[in-house]
Amino acid sequence: MKYKLLCLLFTLLLLSGCSTGHKQVPMDDGYSTDTATDALNYTTYMDKELGLVMNLLATHLGNSRTALDSTALTANETQSVAENLLLIADAIDSVDTLRPPDGYEDLRNSALRRLEEAQEAIMEYQSALVAADAEAVDTAITRMESAYVSLTGAFTVMPE
């Protein structure tokens, strides 16, 4: 009986195993789908991706004032920035490959530009942290604040 129970448990674990996410592969035209997403879902998706990047910017803005206070804080913040840059790159890739509905191309391009500006600002912050340059950190903070404000108005459109 014990053997059967262990076999059942093992089988369940195999059947319900974890999978890594499926990355969208762009087609020849650069989009991951043949058809455009409807306006409501597209707007919701864009807001989610922009919100992610805004949250990451807010986190690093909050940590930035004390990041150079100790070696441990700097190391933790540098590690966090490196991890978050991967998330931002994924968000940019997702926005770039999702086909927008008709009439949303300009909004998409504007959002992409602002996401890339946020990415560059955080990369600048990362470089300043690695160099332990307080003046460069202050400059990066200003860029991150500007990127945050820019993202707040990046995609405030109601679906048709």
Side-chain angles (χ1 to χ4, degrees):
M1 180 67 177
K2 202 177 206 182
Y3 177 73
K4 287 182 181 180
L5 184 60
L6 285 173
C7 285
L8 177 65
L9 245 128
F10 182 71
T11 304
L12 286 173
L13 284 173
L14 284 176
L15 293 175
S16 65
C18 299
S19 69
T20 58
H22 175 68
K23 186 160 178 104
Q24 294 288 341
V25 178
M27 300 166 63
D28 291 337
D29 62 1
Y31 294 116
S32 59
T33 59
D34 286 333
T35 59
T37 308
D38 65 277
L40 177 62
N41 285 324
Y42 188 76
T43 303
T44 303
Y45 186 80
M46 290 292 286
D47 285 340
K48 179 186 77 74
E49 295 296 333
L50 294 170
L52 166 74
V53 175
M54 288 172 58
N55 287 339
L56 296 175
L57 278 167
T59 299
H60 293 301
L61 283 169
N63 293 339
S64 62
R65 298 290 177 198
T66 59
L68 294 179
D69 287 352
S70 76
T71 305
L73 287 175
T74 304
N76 286 340
E77 183 66 359
T78 304
Q79 171 84 22
S80 178
V81 168
E83 293 166 358
N84 291 340
L85 280 169
L86 295 174
L87 293 174
I88 293 170
D90 285 346
I92 291 171
D93 187 50
S94 292
V95 168
D96 192 30
T97 59
L98 183 64
R99 185 182 302 273
D102 290 337
Y104 282 68
E105 292 84 7
D106 289 342
L107 291 168
R108 172 192 170 273
N109 293 336
S110 175
L112 273 171
R113 188 176 58 253
R114 292 174 186 192
L115 285 169
E116 290 166 352
E117 288 169 1
Q119 182 183 38
E120 290 169 7
I122 292 181
M123 289 170 73
E124 181 181 329
Y125 174 59
Q126 181 185 36
S127 297
L129 285 174
V130 170
D133 183 349
E135 188 175 317
V137 168
D138 282 340
T139 302
I141 289 170
T142 302
R143 279 197 71 193
M144 288 191 305
E145 289 169 341
S146 295
Y148 182 87
V149 170
S150 179
L151 281 172
T152 59
F155 210 79
T156 52
V157 63
M158 293 303 291
E160 300 158 354

